[in-house]
């Protein structure tokens, strides 16, 4: 019944009072991009801090002398890096979707996104808390979990390939950093870290992509 | 593929039948489901409650060996954690020392200084103890737990706690285990107190750690009546050496025998500590829970179109939670013990199981046709989604099974839980949730039925059930002049937040309670902590009681009461008070270590002369560590960075040591010179004669405190009563129409007071009101009879009555004509006109209007208006006589003005002087359009005349008869009047203000250029109305709508076009084409927003500056009857009884409100968020942001068929609407306040 034809957005009468500052800010494309980027960045930073804590926790004693500082025990630049990366990924995914011309339609709901984030945290939790017999087992399990995450919440080929590429790149970058001595793993087990890193990266990419797509969807609804 | 299809069909059929079953027998199925949930959860009772409390396991000392890491099928049941060696073995040496008998020459310090001094010799003994056997020489140094540095944050404890050596703590640590320091310490208590933390503390304090017994049991105090000092020497051993410990025990017992001690020595207790949750663990945990809640929130938010959203959301959450509980219960039942941390994996389990199926079910069921039977709806909904549900479930099971084959124990366990949880979740969905959903749907259907029935039958609903908010229900008919808050506004009652907070506070009486509790606690603390207050008394009392009482009775041994007459039969009363040093009474250690003494045998065989003050040993001493905080050991070990989380310690049986110090021995211990200067011993105050007095004091204090508390409570209660009236929030009850349960409630179940706003009924018109105009201060109305009345918009008083002249003068001859005009009137429905024609009208015309007795206070204008008109015809009688005496003078003045200044207008003198036999040309016609600005009423008549009346005095100021065609619409802006005529022409008039020269000097100089938008025309001014321009063929067809604002005049016509004119020069700016039907509604406001609606149901938004169409939407089936814009949205109503709210910038329909059939089409916007619509005898207020019905105001009791056709929103937050022959003035200040 309501055949709503979206009216010309640009041809609004001049003296009409401009829409509220919030709406105009949100509907402005550049501002919108910045807002989305900022949101993704903060989500990335937050997740990096929390998951880092989860990893640190293995060696944390019951009464660590300085609990709060252990949150920031890794180098200061790690959370911002994670945040930037997640912002880039979260903006890249909807962009790629629109470029490929195949809008992502699978489970476009916030509850699904929340579920995805929860599973991602769960994967991290498992890698930090569960005692695995050996590293191969750990890597295989994490890989299976990550692929399961992709299958449950994404199911797009572009998402998968992008995730794999980014995960490999990120692993490479990390290894380069380690070789150059900029960054060191706490655990001496070198292979140990390297083996689970791509899986975690992959799961993270999928998650951030999911969030980014949802935000973009929101934007599309808002602008139209 | 065919197999798949067949499978699909079968599943669908099965679900269909299942849905039928569930919807048919809801109650038995819910009972069955609850029973099965409870059954499955029953094994959970055996699980330990979650918590961080330590768990104990007791083994025998004899034959103890450290448990191996891999338990080999032990027949003895042992807990899981009992594997491997413990972190440490704790050996406590419990020392009880007393100075006895107490001599009068002793200072209070002597009660604990010598006993404490003994610790150094004991320590020496323990440290130097060497046990040699076949395996070699063992000493404490080899066995004890070696500790290293304290944690860096504990520097201040460095002097007190041992470092780099054995973990051996005793009160001697206060003095670095050096007797000299102890001897030279002037104030022992101060030293002990020095290390106590300030403020409240829950964990173990240093004093507890060193003394090894709770602080109040140590007896180290000036006020201790017992004079028994208790402390422990705690040794932490890393390895268990039975030989060494046995010899140490024997040695200590031999040195310091405990006469009446029968502490058990055969059991050692292993204490396992759970993992403590630190901040580091807490942050990820909290994060996962936040994510979980967000997930649940976003999921349940999607439940829609049901009766009770919250109920179903709750049912969904209950489904998931109880399926998890069932899964844990079932796993436990089949022998699997959960080892995972439940709190940690719980969110993941919930997320894995998910709420999706539940939502899918709900969505599917509510999307089935509403008119089906509930059973069928449920069944159809189920079977529609059956395939996807089964597919999802199979997928999830597969994923989880893959997880199971990772062969990692933790993941396997998780997967097991998840699988069982999934299955039980499916079960619960199918039985529990479906049934709940069917109940919900049925309730909604009932509610629908309730709503629909009376609308058809015309009966008030028996009980207006809660309805969906978007649909205005037929109102229950209350008595007039009341405002009913709609019951369906239950959850959607949008009160502002602060009001909600206030209501919440008021409902729960939170503030009062908090103040009350706070005061009581404060007083309690005050009384307790007062230096001379209760604490001192209580402490003394407690120590007294525990001494005098019978704490050892549990062990079967009544302790010997110090200072009292011996009560046991074996004791020698004569020797009870004899002074004998304890050392001499030392019995053989062999006897002492006899463990299997029957409880009574100690008394029967008193060995040697009993000591004067026997140190009581009771069962509570056996495991004295139990009285310590359960964080005692973790905190002790944590100081050395040793965690006890998920590990255990073994606590060996204590070694009792009794020290009896004779009075002559006590002074041997060197007193510090300052000891004597200590405050005098308060103990005599409590000695036995004064004991009663002390008790009495205690009781007095207690009674006083109680009385004060009661008084306070009473006071607060009175205050509360005074401040908060009793019947708060129950105003509605007094009407007797609503029951308590029917009261509208907000989210918190609190019903806000119903604001009783009475609509003010303005009566006086004899026929239906046709035109309504207002400028904020005044209100002009015109009825079908042609009578114009002017009202005060603030008070509702009728100021002026302007009767229709041709009726007054012409008698019945004009009636058919005028009625004929009315029949042509586009604004009036045919039924009302014919009804009036039927009979009521002629009667009303001649007789004075019937005045209801309600408004007796209004000035009765009848004699001034009607009575004498027939008989006398003076020139001035054409004007309605105002209720003031000066009317005739003014009339004359006006007439003179007419004759002088308006020679071209032939109407005034004609009418004025030739009124006696009114010719046919004098027929003025009925008023078709009316506008009010300042105090001028512009009335456009069907005869084509434009008349200007003075609103206050009721005098005709000017008339213009240049046009012949009836004026269908008028606009009055600044000093211009635009009249649209029936033939499609548009006339622009200018109102000229000519001041009489004599009066000029008294007035300011209201230049015409600076004329305010609503100029006030003085009655002295002479007004002329001149036609400045006439656009003959503005439209091809009659102009239906005319609006003017912001210097623009917009006309809409039946020729499908909208034209925009500039007001100043009456130049046509644009002709807007876009509608495919006659224009029926136009809106323009000062911000140049132009919206038009047509008969085609389309709504167009135009840009007034460029004349381009901004958006074009189809919203209604049938005419758009009314259009209003706010800053953000466009509101339209149509003949289809639908009110649509559109987003103004995008043209997207936000939502629509379905109104009753035959509802009025009038709209008004009070504020940006408040919409008023007219209905059948009522006006309704809507919240624009949410589309919720806020209030419905009923205008009168007899509202049958009386729709509100016109509705004006005044500036002072009042609305005016017509209501048959009456006007209704409704003030909505409270609504405004709340919503703004």
């Amino acid at each position: 019944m309501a055949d709503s034809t979206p009216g010309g957005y640009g041809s609004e009468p001049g003296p009409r009072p401009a829409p509220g500052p919030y709406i105009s800010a949100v509907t402005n494309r550049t501002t919108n991009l910045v807002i989305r980027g900022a949101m993704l960045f903060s989500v990335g930073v937050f997740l990096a801090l929390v998951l880092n804590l989860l990893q640190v926790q293995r060696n944390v004693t019951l009464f660590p002398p300085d609990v709060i500082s252990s949150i920031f025990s890794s180098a200061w630049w790690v959370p911002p890096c994670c945040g930037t990366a997640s912002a880039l990924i979260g903006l890249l995914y909807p962009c790629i979707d629109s470029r490929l011309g195949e809008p992502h339609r699978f489970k476009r709901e916030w509850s699904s996104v929340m579920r995805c984030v929860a599973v991602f945290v769960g994967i991290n939790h498992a890698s930090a808390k569960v005692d695995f017999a050996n590293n191969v087992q750990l890597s295989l399990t994490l890989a299976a979990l990550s692929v399961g995450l992709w299958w449950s919440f994404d199911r797009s080929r572009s998402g998968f390939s992008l995730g794999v590429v980014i995960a490999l790149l990120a692993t490479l970058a990390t290894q380069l950093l380690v070789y150059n001595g900029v960054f060191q793993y706490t655990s001496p087990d070198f292979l140990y870290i390297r083996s689970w890193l791509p899986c975690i990266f992959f799961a993270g990419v999928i998650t951030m992509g999911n969030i980014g797509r949802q935000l973009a969807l929101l934007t599309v609804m808002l602008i139209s | 593929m065919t197999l798949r299809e067949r499978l699909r069909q079968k599943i669908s059929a099965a679900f269909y039948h299942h849905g039928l079953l569930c919807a048919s027998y809801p109650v038995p199925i819910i009972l069955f489901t609850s029973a099965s949930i409870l059954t499955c959860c029953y094994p959970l009772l055996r699980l330990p409650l979650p918590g961080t409390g330590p768990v104990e396991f007791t083994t025998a000392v004899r034959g103890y060996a450290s448990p191996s890491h891999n338990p080999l099928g032990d027949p003895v049941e042992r807990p899981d954690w009992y594997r491997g060696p413990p972190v440490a073995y704790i050996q406590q040496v419990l020392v009880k020392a007393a100075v006895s008998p107490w001599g009068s020459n002793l200072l209070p310090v002597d009660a604990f200084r010598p006993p404490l001094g003994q610790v150094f010799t004991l320590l020496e003994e323990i440290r130097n103890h060497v046990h040699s056997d076949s395996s070699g020489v063992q000493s404490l140094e080899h066995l004890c737990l070696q500790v290293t540095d304290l944690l860096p944050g504990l520097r201040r404890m460095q002097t007190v706690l041992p470092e780099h050596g054995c973990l051996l703590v005793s009160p001697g640590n206060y003095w670095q285990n050096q007797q000299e320091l102890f001897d030279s310490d002037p104030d022992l208590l101060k030293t002990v107190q020095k290390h106590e933390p300030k403020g409240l503390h829950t964990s173990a304090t240093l004093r507890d750690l060193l003394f090894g017994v709770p602080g109040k049991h140590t007896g180290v105090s000036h006020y201790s009546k017992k004079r028994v000092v208790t402390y422990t020497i705690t040794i932490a051993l890393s390895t268990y050496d039975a030989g060494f410990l046995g010899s140490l025990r024997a040695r200590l017992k031999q040195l310091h025998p405990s006469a009446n001690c029968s502490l058990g020595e055969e059991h050692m207790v292993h204490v396992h500590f759970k993992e403590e949750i630190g901040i580091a663990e807490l942050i990820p945990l909290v994060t996962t829970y936040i994510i979980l809640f967000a997930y649940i929130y976003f999921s349940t938010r999607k439940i829609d179109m049901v009766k009770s959203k919250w109920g179903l959301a709750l049912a969904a959450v209950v489904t998931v939670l109880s399926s998890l509980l069932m899964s844990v219960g079932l796993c436990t039942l089949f022998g699997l013990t959960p080892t995972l941390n439940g709190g940690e994996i719980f969110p993941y389990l919930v997320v894995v199981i998910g709420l999706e199926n539940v939502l899918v079910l709900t969505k599917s069921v509510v999307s089935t046709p509403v008119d089906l039977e509930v059973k069928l709806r449920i069944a159809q909904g189920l079977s529609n989604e059956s395939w996807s549900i089964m597919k999802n479930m199979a997928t999830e099971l597969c994923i989880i099974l893959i997880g199971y084959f990772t062969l990692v124990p933790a993941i396997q366990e998780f997967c097991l839980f998840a699988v069982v949880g999934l299955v039980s979740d499916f079960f619960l969905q199918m039985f529990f949730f479906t049934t709940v959903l069917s109940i919900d749907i049925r309730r909604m259907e009932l509610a629908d039925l309730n709503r629909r029935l009376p609308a058809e039958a015309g009966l008030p609903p028996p009980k207006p059930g809660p309805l969906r908010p978007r649909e205005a229900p037929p109102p229950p008919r209350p008595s007039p002049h009341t405002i009913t808050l709609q019951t369906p506004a239950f959850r959607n009652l949008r009160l502002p937040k602060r009001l909600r907070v206030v209501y919440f506070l008021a409902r729960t009486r939170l503030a009062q309670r908090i103040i009350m509790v706070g005061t009581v606690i404060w007083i309690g603390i005050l009384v307790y902590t007062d230096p001379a207050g209760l604490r001192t008394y209580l402490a003394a009392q407690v120590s007294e009681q525990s001494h005098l009482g019978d704490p050892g009775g549990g062990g079967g041994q009544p302790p010997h009461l110090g200072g009292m007459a011996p009560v046991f039969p074996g004791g020698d009363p004569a020797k009870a008070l004899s002074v004998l040093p304890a050392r001499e009474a030392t019995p053989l250690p062999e006897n002492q270590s006899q463990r299997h003494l029957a409880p009574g045998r100690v008394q029967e065989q008193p060995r040697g002369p009993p000591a004067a003050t026997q140190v009581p040993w009771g069962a509570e001493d056996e495991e004295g560590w139990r009285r310590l905080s359960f964080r005692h050991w973790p905190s002790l070990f944590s100081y050395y960075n040793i965690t006890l989380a998920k590990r255990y310690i073994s606590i060996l049986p204590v070694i009792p040591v009794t020290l009896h110090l004779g009075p002559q021995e006590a002074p041997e211990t060197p007193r510090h010179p300052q000891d004597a200067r200590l405050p005098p011993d308060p103990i005599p105050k409590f000695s036995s004669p004064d004991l009663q007095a002390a008790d009495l004091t205690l009781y007095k204090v207690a009674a006083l405190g109680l009385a004060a508390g009661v008084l306070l409570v009473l006071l607060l209660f009175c205050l509360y009563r005074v401040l908060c009236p009793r019947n708060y929030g129950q105003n509605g009850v007094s009407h007797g129409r609503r029951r308590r349960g029917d009261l509208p409630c907000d989210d918190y179940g609190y019903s806000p007071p119903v604001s009783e706003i009475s609509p003010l009924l303005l009566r006086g018109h004899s026929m239906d009101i046709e035109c309504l105009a207002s400028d904020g201060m005044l209100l002009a109305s015109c009825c079908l009879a042609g009578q114009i009345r002017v009202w005060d918009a603030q008070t509702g008083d009728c100021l002026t009555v302007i009767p229709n002249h041709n009726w007054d003068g012409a008698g019945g001859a004009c009636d058919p004509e005028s009625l004929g005009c009315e029949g042509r009137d586009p604004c009036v429905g045919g039924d009302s006109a014919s009804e009036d024609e039927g009979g009521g009208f002629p009667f009303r015309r001649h007789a004075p209007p019937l005045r209801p007795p309600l408004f007796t206070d209004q000035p009765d204008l009848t004699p001034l208006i009607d009575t004498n008109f027939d008989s006398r015809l003076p020139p001035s009688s054409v004007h309605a006589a105002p209720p003031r005496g000066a009317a005739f003078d003014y009339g004359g003045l006006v007439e003179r003005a007419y004759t002088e200044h308006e020679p071209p207008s032939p109407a005034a003198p004609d009418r004025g002087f030739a009124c006696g036999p009114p010719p046919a040309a004098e027929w003025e016609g009925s008023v078709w359009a009316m506008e009010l600005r300042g105090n001028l009423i512009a009335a456009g008549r069907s005869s084509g005349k434009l008349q200007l009346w003075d609103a206050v005095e009721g005098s005709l100021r000017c008339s213009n008869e240049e046009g012949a065609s009836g004026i269908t619409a008028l606009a009055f802006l600044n000093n211009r009047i635009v009249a649209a005529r029936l033939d499609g022409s548009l006339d622009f008039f200018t109102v000229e203000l000519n001041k009489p020269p004599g009066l000029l000097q008294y007035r300011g100089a209201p230049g015409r250029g600076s004329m305010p938008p609503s100029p006030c025309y003085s009655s002295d001014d002479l007004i002329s109305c001149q036609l400045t321009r006439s656009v003959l063929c503005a439209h091809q067809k009659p102009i239906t709508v005319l609006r003017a604002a912001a210097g623009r005049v917009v006309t809409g016509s039946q020729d499908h076009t909208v034209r925009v004119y500039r007001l100043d020069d009456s130049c046509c700016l644009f002709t807007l084409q876009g509608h495919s039907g006659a224009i029926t509604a136009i809106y323009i406001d000062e911000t140049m927003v132009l919206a038009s609606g047509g008969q085609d149901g389309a709504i167009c938004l135009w840009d007034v500056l460029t004349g381009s169409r901004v958006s074009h939407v189809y919203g209604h089936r049938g005419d758009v009857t009314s259009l209003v814009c706010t800053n953000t949205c466009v509101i339209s109503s149509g003949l289809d009884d639908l009110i649509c709210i559109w987003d103004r910038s995008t043209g997207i329909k936000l939502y629509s409100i379905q109104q009753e059939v035959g509802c009025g089409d009038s709209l008004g916007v009070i504020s940006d968020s408040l919409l008023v619509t007219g209905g059948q005898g009522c006006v309704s207020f809507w919240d624009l942001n949410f589309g919720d019905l806020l209030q419905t105001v009923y205008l009168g009791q007899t509202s049958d068929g009386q729709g509100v056709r016109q509705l004006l929103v005044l500036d002072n937050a009042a609305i005016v609407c017509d209501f048959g022959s009456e006007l209704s003035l409704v003030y909505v200040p409270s609504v405004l306040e709340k919503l703004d």
Side-chain angles (χ1 to χ4, degrees), chain B residues 1007-1046:
Chain B
R1008 271 177 53 193
S1010 64
M1011 199 178 284
S1014 179
C1016 193
Y1017 298 98
S1018 159
S1019 59
D1020 299 329
D1021 299 340
L1022 298 173
I1023 293 168
S1024 65
C1025 177
Q1026 289 181 343
L1027 179 69
T1028 51
R1029 188 170 175 220
S1030 178
V1031 183
L1032 272 181
C1033 272
H1035 285 278
Q1036 309 297 323
K1037 287 187 176 177
I1039 294 173
T1040 49
V1041 209
L1042 173 72
R1043 292 279 185 276

Side-chain angles (χ1 to χ4, degrees), chain A residues 5 13 57 109 115 129 137, chain B residues 281 302 344 351 406 1112:
Chain A
T5 46
Q57 209 178 303
E109 283 152 353
R115 220 179 167 191
K129 282 277 178 83
Q137 199 182 28
Chain B
E281 283 103 345
K302 287 186 290 185
E344 262 177 25
V351 164
T406 52
H1112 178 225

Side-chain angles (χ1 to χ4, degrees), chain A residues 28-107:
Chain A
N28 182 2
R29 280 184 196 279
T30 325
T31 327
N32 181 271
L33 210 66
V34 171
I35 290 177
R36 264 160 59 202
M39 285 172 78
L40 287 164
F41 179 80
S42 51
V43 169
V45 168
F46 177 71
L47 279 181
L49 287 176
V50 167
L51 300 180
N52 180 33
L53 198 63
L54 212 56
Q55 300 286 349
V56 165
Q57 209 178 303
R58 278 203 143 177
N59 309 324
V60 155
T61 51
L62 182 57
F63 286 88
D66 35 6
V67 177
I68 299 303
S69 67
S70 72
I71 297 177
F72 305 100
S73 59
S74 63
W76 61 269
W77 47 267
V78 171
C81 276
C82 292
T84 314
S86 55
L88 284 181
I89 292 163
L91 295 177
L92 193 62
Y93 258 79
C95 177
I96 293 250
D97 279 347
S98 65
R99 280 292 156 81
L100 290 180
E102 38 186 37
H104 191 250
R105 299 212 177 280
F106 183 69
K107 286 190 185 173

Side-chain angles (χ1 to χ4, degrees), chain B residues 698-968:
Chain B
L698 186 69
Y699 294 144
K700 270 185 212 160
V701 168
L704 261 176
L706 197 68
V710 167
L711 200 71
L712 193 79
V713 168
L714 282 179
L715 196 70
L716 280 176
F717 186 71
C718 291
L719 254 181
Y720 166 69
R721 272 296 158 86
V722 169
L723 289 183
C724 314
R726 187 176 200 166
N727 56 348
Y728 194 174
Q730 301 171 5
N731 284 347
V733 179
S734 59
H735 299 293
R737 286 189 315 277
R738 267 186 251 116
R739 282 171 293 153
R740 185 74 182 90
D742 290 340
L743 271 178
C745 296
D746 59 358
D747 284 349
Y748 311 105
Y750 181 75
S751 40
V754 179
S755 44
E756 296 280 347
I757 311 168
S758 310
L760 198 57
L761 285 189
L762 313 180
R763 302 187 182 186
H765 282 292
S766 54
M767 297 180 70
D768 278 4
I769 289 165
E770 189 186 341
C771 299
L772 199 56
S774 167
D775 66 341
M777 300 295 293
L778 296 175
L779 187 64
S781 63
C782 176
C783 69
L784 281 178
Q787 190 186 47
I788 298 175
R789 278 175 179 259
V790 181
W791 317 80
D792 187 340
Q794 307 284 336
T795 61
D797 294 333
C798 181
L799 299 177
T800 319
V801 179
I802 304 168
N804 196 354
H805 307 284
N806 56 338
W807 288 346
D808 290 330
C814 286
D815 290 348
E817 291 179 53
S818 65
L819 280 173
C821 296
E822 284 153 17
R824 276 187 287 140
D825 193 329
C827 300
V828 183
D831 51 345
S832 62
S834 60
E835 176 196 293
D836 288 329
E837 212 170 2
F841 171 63
F843 167 71
R844 284 187 203 159
R845 182 175 56 85
H846 292 292
L850 287 176
R851 282 182 191 284
L854 209 65
F855 291 88
T856 50
D857 55 343
Q858 283 195 358
D860 191 5
L861 304 171
T862 321
L864 294 174
I865 303 163
D866 278 331
T867 43
N868 292 329
F869 278 175
D870 289 331
S871 55
R872 90 189 145 92
L873 295 166
S876 60
S877 70
V878 291
H879 312 299
R884 284 177 293 177
F888 283 69
D889 297 338
Y890 279 116
L893 191 71
V894 170
E895 261 160 45
R896 250 183 297 137
Y898 276 130
T899 52
E900 288 168 10
H901 294 278
E902 276 197 37
S905 168
D910 278 357
R911 199 196 57 239
F913 294 107
C915 205
E922 269 314 290
W923 169 67
E924 291 186 318
S926 61
V927 176
W928 278 2
M930 190 168 67
E931 276 290 309
L932 177 64
R933 280 290 175 274
N935 51 355
L936 275 188
I937 300 172
R941 293 188 176 269
S942 55
S943 60
K945 273 188 196 170
L946 175 71
Q947 294 179 325
L948 285 180
W949 298 82
D950 190 302
V952 178
E953 296 168 8
S955 54
L956 182 71
R957 305 299 298 270
C958 159
S959 176
N960 191 312
E961 300 180 359
E962 288 174 36
S965 187
I967 295 177
T968 55

Side-chain angles (χ1 to χ4, degrees), chain B residues 40-247:
Chain B
C40 292
C41 292
Y42 174 70
L44 288 179
L45 291 181
R46 281 189 293 175
L47 285 182
L49 283 175
T52 51
V55 186
E56 292 171 11
F57 177 61
T58 309
T59 54
V61 173
R62 198 181 295 268
Y64 166 81
S66 167
S68 60
H69 280 283
N70 301 314
L72 310 163
D74 282 20
V76 190
E77 187 153 333
R78 50 174 59 185
D80 289 329
W81 47 265
Y82 187 58
R83 284 177 200 163
V87 178
Y89 299 91
I90 304 290
Q91 176 65 67
Q92 281 193 309
V93 179
L94 182 58
V95 182
K96 291 203 173 192
V99 177
S100 70
W102 190 256
S104 56
N105 59 336
L106 294 178
L107 294 171
V109 183
D110 289 331
F112 55 87
R113 185 178 268 275
L116 278 181
Q118 293 295 317
V119 76
F120 300 103
T121 50
L122 272 174
L123 278 175
E124 204 63 20
E125 185 66 41
I126 292 168
R127 282 186 189 278
N128 296 334
H129 184 78
V130 172
H131 172 70
S132 57
D133 58 4
S134 54
S135 61
V137 177
Q138 296 283 2
S139 74
L140 190 67
E141 284 295 318
H142 297 107
L143 296 174
C144 73
L145 184 73
Q146 300 283 341
V147 291
T148 55
D149 286 337
L150 283 167
L151 275 183
L154 300 168
R155 292 283 170 225
R156 60 183 180 83
M157 291 197 179
Q158 247 174 344
T159 56
V160 188
L161 287 175
E163 274 188 310
H164 304 289
C166 280
L167 181 55
L168 190 151
V169 288
S170 70
N173 285 64
Y174 279 121
W175 299 275
Q176 280 90 46
N177 291 331
Q178 291 169 30
Q179 181 92 42
E180 302 81 48
L181 286 177
F182 177 78
D183 289 342
S184 58
D185 192 354
D187 191 347
L188 299 182
L189 285 180
K190 196 175 162 193
T191 310
V192 172
Q193 206 64 37
K194 194 170 67 183
H195 295 282
E196 289 304 290
K198 302 284 183 292
L200 285 173
H201 44 83
T202 53
S203 66
T205 62
L206 188 67
R207 179 176 176 156
D208 289 347
L209 288 180
L210 295 190
F211 276 89
V213 286
K216 63 183 179 198
H217 294 287
T218 54
V220 181
S221 137
H222 287 306
Y223 311 114
S224 173
K225 178 80 172 75
K226 268 197 304 190
R227 300 197 194 96
V228 175
V229 174
T230 312
Y231 55 88
T232 62
I233 299 169
T234 306
I235 312 158
L237 301 166
S238 58
T239 47
Y240 180 75
D241 188 314
F244 176 79
L245 288 175
S247 75

Side-chain angles (χ1 to χ4, degrees), chain B residues 15-17 19-20 374-384:
Chain B
F15 271 69
Y16 191 87
H17 291 301
L20 278 184
V374 180
K375 265 194 244 178
L376 298 179
R377 284 187 75 184
I378 296 282
Q380 278 193 9
L382 269 185
S383 75
N384 282 347

Side-chain angles (χ1 to χ4, degrees), chain B residues 1156-1180:
Chain B
E1156 298 167 63
V1157 178
C1159 222
D1161 48 16
S1162 44
L1163 283 178
V1165 173
I1166 295 185
S1167 69
D1168 264 354
S1169 59
L1170 193 60
L1171 172 73
V1172 189
T1173 62
Q1176 290 286 333
C1178 61
V1179 282
S1180 305

